[in-house]
């Protein structure tokens, strides 16, 4: 059902400082910041040969990342994202198996311009899972 790992997302307080560490210290290629108001975040992607790292910073007071950082002041891994061929069929199959889809269950457009859904971390060993249609 799930395909390749698309990215690992890390919540950060200071997007500029975190970007500098990956770019200047580790020598990684880092995208330009992208604001995603619908998701309450600003993101950058670190391009790796086999996947990406997504750095997430809060965008506004109601940001889910702001709440995450309240509980985790140093930041940390926020979610992992897997690719799927058909997000609606995958959603329906997961729901039938008892997995909980967050929000209203309808895909939203993510940072890559593709439909995404999030799955409840309690159903996946404490890890928030994002699904992105390829």
């Amino acid at each position: 059902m799930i395909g390749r790992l698309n990215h690992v997302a890390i919540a950060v307080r200071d997007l500029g400082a975190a970007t500098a560490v990956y770019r200047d210290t580790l020598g990684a290629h880092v995208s330009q910041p992208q604001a995603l108001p619908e998701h309450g975040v600003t993101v950058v992607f670190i391009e790796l040969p086999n996947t990406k790292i997504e750095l997430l910073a809060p965008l506004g007071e109601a940001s889910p990342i702001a709440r995450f950082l309240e509980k985790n002041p140093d930041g940390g891994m926020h979610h992992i994202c897997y690719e799927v061929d058909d997000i609606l069929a995958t959603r329906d199959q997961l729901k039938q198996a008892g997995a909980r889809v967050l929000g209203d269950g309808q895909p939203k457009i993510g940072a890559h311009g593709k439909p995404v859904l999030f799955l409840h971390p309690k159903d996946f060993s404490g890890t928030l899972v994002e699904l992105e249609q390829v």
Side-chain angles (χ1 to χ4, degrees), residues 3-17:
R4 74 179 199 99
L5 175 68
N6 183 280
H7 65 267
V8 174
I10 300 172
V12 300
R13 286 193 175 282
D14 184 335
L15 191 58

Side-chain angles (χ1 to χ4, degrees), residues 38-39 87 102-110 113-117 131:
E38 182 177 340
H39 297 279
I87 200 161
L102 297 179
D104 64 5
Q106 294 303 312
K108 292 183 173 34
I109 299 302
K114 298 177 180 178
V116 299
L117 286 172
L131 301 176

Side-chain angles (χ1 to χ4, degrees), residues 44-131:
V44 298
F45 284 94
I46 294 112
E47 299 289 332
L48 303 174
N50 58 345
T51 193
K52 296 180 277 300
I53 302 294
E54 178 183 38
L55 301 179
L56 303 162
L59 180 63
E61 296 295 320
S63 170
I65 300 305
R67 289 190 293 277
F68 179 89
L69 290 169
E70 286 175 14
K71 296 176 187 173
N72 305 278
D74 293 330
M77 192 187 98
H78 184 261
H79 68 269
I80 58 174
C81 177
Y82 299 110
E83 295 177 352
V84 298
D85 290 327
D86 183 332
I87 200 161
L88 295 176
T90 301
R91 175 202 61 195
D92 294 345
Q93 188 176 356
L94 286 164
K95 286 174 74 173
Q96 187 174 14
R100 291 172 280 180
V101 177
L102 297 179
D104 64 5
Q106 294 303 312
K108 292 183 173 34
I109 299 302
H112 299 117
K114 298 177 180 178
V116 299
L117 286 172
F118 286 88
L119 306 175
H120 201 292
K122 289 185 178 179
D123 298 335
F124 298 93
S125 303
T127 303
L128 180 62
V129 172
E130 178 182 15
L131 301 176

